[in-house]
Amino acid sequence: MLERTLVLLGAGPLPELSMRCGAETLSDTLGLPLTTVVEGQSPDPSLVNLMASPPRLIRLAGDPGSLHHEGSSWMDALAAWKCPVILLGSPRPDGVMPGTIPAFTSLCETRGMVLLGLIQLGGPWLPEVRKRDGLPWLGWLSDSRLDRNRPDQCDAAVEAVDRLSIIIRSRLEICHGLKATEASSGRP
């Protein structure tokens, strides 16, 4: 089990069922309980409550960049709270990644968010093409629920999830180590 809360955001519109299945698979793999928060909830009060509870995987349903009546967005709040974030993105039917994925990645960077990386949700995983994207890809998840107890589950899907778990844990250690070094050196 991880000792840190993670937040899962859609990099553009994603089918609800696909995002929920991907989040459930990640939750099981990482050993974190899954909590779903909807975009309409006010970010700061929600994060106060969520961060006071044990580590979990938070799935934000909706647009994390939309502004609330108080003038901030979930992305602003997650940046202020230094919550590690993973973006989920799905390819179009022709296999090409939509422009929302690099746009959301840039938005995370300009907001100062702790972006662990992106996960491709569904579609064929083409590592060579993903490397050319120049984006911080973590790997691939099936857009259907993974059940390790079912013998008919694809070995590639199980291997991909196991690989994702290792990569996410590694990125968290690196990010946490960098934050600890910055704090001890007096840098923000």
Side-chain angles (χ1 to χ4, degrees):
M1 184 165 117
L2 293 176
E3 297 176 12
R4 191 80 201 252
T5 291
L6 298 176
V7 181
L8 199 57
L9 306 176
L14 293 174
E16 170 61 23
L17 181 60
S18 296
M19 187 176 186
R20 187 173 66 236
C21 287
E24 289 171 350
T25 298
L26 265 183
S27 169
D28 292 345
T29 300
L30 297 172
L32 291 172
L34 179 62
T35 300
T36 298
V37 178
V38 294
E39 152 202 344
Q41 291 177 252
S42 188
D44 286 315
S46 297
L47 286 170
V48 166
N49 292 331
L50 290 166
M51 294 309 179
S53 57
R56 62 192 57 252
L57 179 65
I58 301 169
R59 176 179 76 101
L60 181 68
D63 181 359
S66 67
L67 291 177
H68 286 261
H69 63 277
E70 68 268 8
S72 68
S73 69
W74 272 94
M75 294 182 97
D76 295 327
L78 292 169
W81 280 83
K82 300 293 183 204
C83 296
V85 170
I86 297 172
L87 291 176
L88 285 180
S90 291
R92 297 186 317 217
D94 63 1
V96 173
M97 288 295 173
T100 56
I101 294 172
F104 265 88
T105 303
S106 291
L107 189 54
C108 287
E109 291 168 356
T110 60
R111 293 277 195 250
M113 297 173 73
V114 180
L115 178 62
L116 296 182
L118 296 103
I119 296 175
Q120 178 181 317
L121 186 61
W125 176 244
L126 305 168
E128 303 80 29
V129 176
R130 297 293 71 87
K131 285 179 188 173
R132 283 194 305 258
D133 292 342
L135 299 173
W137 290 102
L138 299 169
W140 173 87
L141 269 179
S142 172
D143 56 1
S144 59
R145 181 91 161 89
L146 179 66
D147 182 354
R148 292 176 183 272
N149 298 319
R150 287 184 40 201
D152 63 329
Q153 291 286 316
C154 173
D155 287 340
V158 172
E159 288 174 19
V161 168
D162 290 343
R163 195 172 318 111
L164 264 176
S165 175
I166 292 167
I167 292 168
I168 289 169
R169 291 170 196 279
S170 171
R171 293 262 176 105
L172 263 176
E173 286 178 21
I174 291 168
C175 285
H176 189 68
L178 288 175
K179 298 294 175 203
T181 303
E182 288 174 357
S184 66
S185 69
R187 291 185 309 207

